[in-house]
Amino acid sequence: MHETRKLTRFLAKYRLFVILAPLMMIGEVAMDLMQPRLTQTIIDDGVAAGDLSKVLQTGAIMIGLAVIGCIFGVLCGVFAVRAGLGFAADLRSALFSKIQKLSFANLDKLETGSLITRLTNDVTQLSDAVQSLLRIMVRAPFMLVGAIFMATLTAPRLSLLFIVLIPFLILVVAMTMVRAFPRFMKVQAKLDHLNNVMQENLQGVRVVKAFARHQYEVDRFGKGNDDLRDTTLSAVYVIVMVAPLMMLTVNLGLVATLWFGGHQVNDGDIEVGALVAFINYLMQALFGLLMFSMTLMRFTRAEASAERVNEVLASEPAVVQSPAASVPATMPGKVEFQAVSFTYGDGEPVLQDVSFTVEPGTSLAILGPTGSGKSSIVSLIPRFYDVTSGRVLVDDMDVREWDEHRLRDHISIALQESVLFSGTVRENIRFGKPDATDAEVERAAQMAQAEEFINHLDDGYDSVIGQRGVNLSGGQRQRLAIARAIVRGAPILILDDSTSAVDVATERRIQEALASLHMTVILVAQRISAVVNATNIIVLENGRIVAQGNHEELIATSDVYQEIYRSQVESGVANGQ
Ligand SMILES: Nc1ncnc2c1ncn2[C@@H]1O[C@H](COP(=O)(O)OP(=O)(O)OP(=O)(O)O)[C@@H](O)[C@H]1O
Ligand SMILES: [Mg+2]
């Protein structure tokens, strides 16, 4: 229960409910515990003595107590639910804002699918555990102890039966738990696995269909599903087999009570009513014990959930801002790499000894084959990751000394994957600058050459974009992503392969528009056509710069560049034919 306990701080705010719920529950149990004694009174003092008014009077008291017990029960339920749901809501917000604070490196490790499960399923699991903790885990022990106490008061000699029954039942329950606990743990692991398979499939459902792999996926799911069923069966079988044994114990206890109790009644030691009351207490005690053990099972699941939730809460952002972080005196938008090497996690080096300078208002193009490290270079500028060695400077200040928020404000970036949000076209562009006016939004769209297709949409700028931009073409998505970056109006603009799905003529118009903005532009490209006008070009291969200069210089001096140029011009890519 170690992991679950760590989360109790989220209950602190609800401590009033956490205290009140069990108190109410004790009230309810107390009412329940009085009922058998009153039954005894009705039988012995009312029925046996032929006193009808005693019967009616006691009956009325019983109803009264039942009503009070019911009120206590309802209040306990209300308080437990308030605490449980409040706890869940706070935990979810804490998780969500933690995830927002994490760095790219953390997010590489905790996948999206698993984060969703943690925010939904795991939190619900924990919320249920809190509620049952406040209700059943309080009710069961009080019922057990209270019933034994009352039974002893009612029929002291018969109570000796408990000495035999309770240990036997505890033994049976303990044996069940020992066998069922690990199995339920396994069930949880299988369920997680199935969730992962499902999420991965649903996120990539188009790819699955495109490759006609649905049968494979169905089989994979079917296997996980069957596995879950079998594991659950083996866990539940333990309980199913033991349940009749428990009932047998309870029934044997009942028979023994009637046997010994019957003799005592015959001998005149106790009265019939006392025997009836005793039997009621016996039942209450035994069922209290069973209920307690069943609820314990639920906590195995909660513990697994708590572990997963705590993993997120305990993640420390990989990129941390130093307390002395500041901003440079002037911020014209200069970018400089000094002998930068970079490795993701503990893999192979992705960048080695990369050095270049981009003066304010000029442009740099990064050219290179796929996997050569282009996206990695640009992700170091807004400090999505920290360099392994060397320095990245923005406006002559190391990005590690920058105030993180100000640094990111200083840079507009269109990431390689153009992710849009569900909402209108206008909202998506405005995401880059929340207070942008309509005129600014439209100007950005014009520059990104997105205006024409936006005007063709049914509702223009107010057209609704589906989740992740499903109802747009790849090139349309890219242009909206560029517009979103442009509208931000930051001095440094980074476009990571943002025109790969746009035709060459449109690409040229976008570049001309960008040139008129006099920003520092860093653009990643695979096509020569996208880079010819750049002030400076670097050619990257396996994480190293193999050529650097402008188009004319490179054509004259670099074999690699000539090779790329020739291959693309010959195939017509560079001319857009
Ligand atoms: N988040 C990551 N974690 C670990 N390795 C990564 C990560 N992102 C990229 N890599 C690795 O770093 C290397 C460079 O990747 P990068 O994305 O920078 O290439 P790229 O030049 O942008 O390629 P492309 O033209 O296909 O976009 C690749 O070998 C890739 O496998
Ligand atoms: Mg890339």
Side-chain angles (χ1 to χ4, degrees), residues 250-541:
V250 171
N251 285 328
L252 286 179
L254 199 59
V255 172
T257 310
L258 286 172
W259 169 266
F260 291 115
H263 277 294
Q264 286 190 16
V265 171
N266 269 345
D267 298 348
D269 285 350
I270 57 169
E271 297 188 60
V272 178
L275 180 60
V276 172
F278 182 87
I279 289 173
N280 277 322
Y281 286 129
L282 179 79
M283 291 298 153
Q284 284 180 339
L286 298 186
F287 281 109
L289 184 65
L290 295 185
M291 211 153 59
F292 186 73
S293 58
M294 290 299 164
T295 326
L296 265 187
M297 292 285 177
R298 163 170 262 157
F299 278 83
T300 37
R301 303 183 68 181
E303 179 71 359
S305 291
E307 194 179 327
R308 290 146 52 86
V309 163
N310 282 328
E311 192 193 347
V312 178
L313 290 176
S315 307
E316 284 305 323
V319 168
V320 274
Q321 171 164 317
S322 92
S326 60
V327 287
T330 55
M331 301 196 279
K334 180 177 168 188
V335 177
E336 187 176 357
F337 273 50
Q338 292 178 347
V340 168
S341 296
F342 174 63
T343 307
Y344 286 103
D346 25 52
E348 295 281 301
V350 169
L351 297 176
Q352 289 183 57
D353 198 24
V354 170
S355 300
F356 61 80
T357 306
V358 193
E359 294 296 337
T362 68
S363 57
L364 171 79
I366 306 173
L367 191 70
T370 168
S372 55
K374 304 182 296 295
S375 298
S376 306
I377 288 194
V378 297
S379 67
L380 296 178
I381 305 172
R383 205 185 169 201
F384 291 155
Y385 298 92
D386 273 336
V387 297
T388 312
S389 69
R391 304 209 296 160
V392 174
L393 306 169
V394 170
D395 288 327
D396 297 319
M397 187 156 116
D398 194 313
V399 289
R400 284 168 293 196
E401 287 158 23
W402 267 78
D403 177 286
E404 188 181 291
H405 204 79
R406 299 289 297 277
L407 176 68
R408 304 224 167 129
D409 265 350
H410 193 48
I411 298 168
S412 305
I413 185 162
L415 295 170
Q416 186 161 19
E417 205 191 337
S418 331
V419 175
L420 300 176
F421 298 99
S422 37
T424 64
V425 168
R426 195 187 304 280
E427 283 162 1
N428 265 283
I429 298 179
R430 197 171 270 152
F431 193 82
K433 182 181 175 194
D435 56 355
T437 62
D438 283 354
E440 283 177 298
V441 168
E442 283 161 27
R443 208 171 90 85
Q446 267 165 20
M447 301 187 100
Q449 307 300 315
E451 177 149 73
E452 195 188 321
F453 88 79
I454 293 175
N455 286 336
H456 274 102
L457 295 175
D458 286 344
D459 298 311
Y461 283 90
D462 295 314
S463 308
V464 173
I465 295 177
Q467 209 178 20
R468 299 179 80 83
V470 279
N471 49 357
L472 296 177
S473 78
Q476 289 170 340
R477 275 205 294 271
Q478 283 192 332
R479 279 176 278 165
L480 285 189
I482 296 175
R484 178 172 65 192
I486 290 177
V487 82
R488 199 167 171 79
I492 301 172
L493 175 69
I494 300 174
L495 301 178
D496 187 352
D497 223 1
S498 301
T499 50
S500 58
V502 174
D503 62 83
V504 175
T506 309
E507 176 178 62
R508 192 167 300 150
R509 284 202 297 277
I510 293 174
Q511 292 201 343
E512 282 162 12
L514 292 181
S516 71
L517 281 175
H518 304 295
M519 294 192 285
T520 307
V521 178
I522 297 180
L523 57 97
V524 169
Q526 308 246 12
R527 291 192 299 223
I528 291 271
S529 63
V531 308
V532 282
N533 295 319
T535 320
N536 196 19
I537 302 168
I538 58 180
V539 183
L540 211 60
E541 248 180 38

Side-chain angles (χ1 to χ4, degrees), residues 51-67:
D51 183 347
L52 186 63
S53 72
K54 188 80 185 171
V55 173
L56 292 178
Q57 195 191 352
T58 317
I61 296 175
M62 285 177 82
I63 293 173
L65 290 181
V67 171

Side-chain angles (χ1 to χ4, degrees), residues 45-110:
D45 303 348
V47 180
D51 183 347
L52 186 63
S53 72
K54 188 80 185 171
V55 173
L56 292 178
Q57 195 191 352
T58 317
I61 296 175
M62 285 177 82
I63 293 173
L65 290 181
V67 171
I68 296 174
C70 177
I71 295 172
F72 275 129
V74 168
L75 285 176
C76 170
V78 169
F79 294 145
V81 166
R82 292 284 297 260
L85 295 185
F87 165 87
D90 291 355
L91 184 57
R92 263 195 303 269
S93 322
L95 280 170
F96 192 78
S97 53
K98 183 77 194 195
I99 293 167
Q100 301 300 315
K101 283 200 199 95
L102 292 178
S103 329
F104 279 50
N106 303 104
L107 298 175
D108 288 347
K109 251 185 267 153
L110 307 161

Side-chain angles (χ1 to χ4, degrees), residues 108-162:
D108 288 347
K109 251 185 267 153
L110 307 161
E111 297 147 19
T112 318
S114 114
L115 286 178
I116 294 173
T117 324
R118 290 173 212 228
L119 269 162
T120 51
N121 193 26
D122 287 333
V123 172
T124 308
Q125 209 63 258
L126 286 163
S127 167
D128 286 353
V130 166
Q131 290 178 44
S132 63
L133 180 75
L134 292 180
R135 301 169 71 182
I136 299 164
M137 291 302 254
V138 171
R139 183 183 173 89
F142 273 103
M143 203 64 173
L144 178 65
V145 174
I148 293 179
F149 178 73
M150 292 300 286
T152 316
L153 279 189
T154 313
R157 271 180 59 206
L158 268 183
S159 309
L160 295 176
L161 273 174
F162 280 113

Side-chain angles (χ1 to χ4, degrees), residues 137 140 144 164-182 184 235 237-250 285-298 300:
M137 291 302 254
L144 178 65
V164 184
L165 279 177
I166 297 284
F168 184 73
L169 211 54
I170 288 182
L171 190 74
V172 173
V173 166
M175 269 168 25
T176 322
M177 303 275 272
V178 167
R179 295 186 58 205
F181 245 71
F184 275 107
Y237 273 154
V238 175
I239 304 229
V240 168
M241 307 235 248
V242 178
L245 189 60
M246 291 179 179
M247 281 318 290
L248 184 67
T249 315
V250 171
L286 298 186
F287 281 109
L289 184 65
L290 295 185
M291 211 153 59
F292 186 73
S293 58
M294 290 299 164
T295 326
L296 265 187
M297 292 285 177
R298 163 170 262 157
T300 37

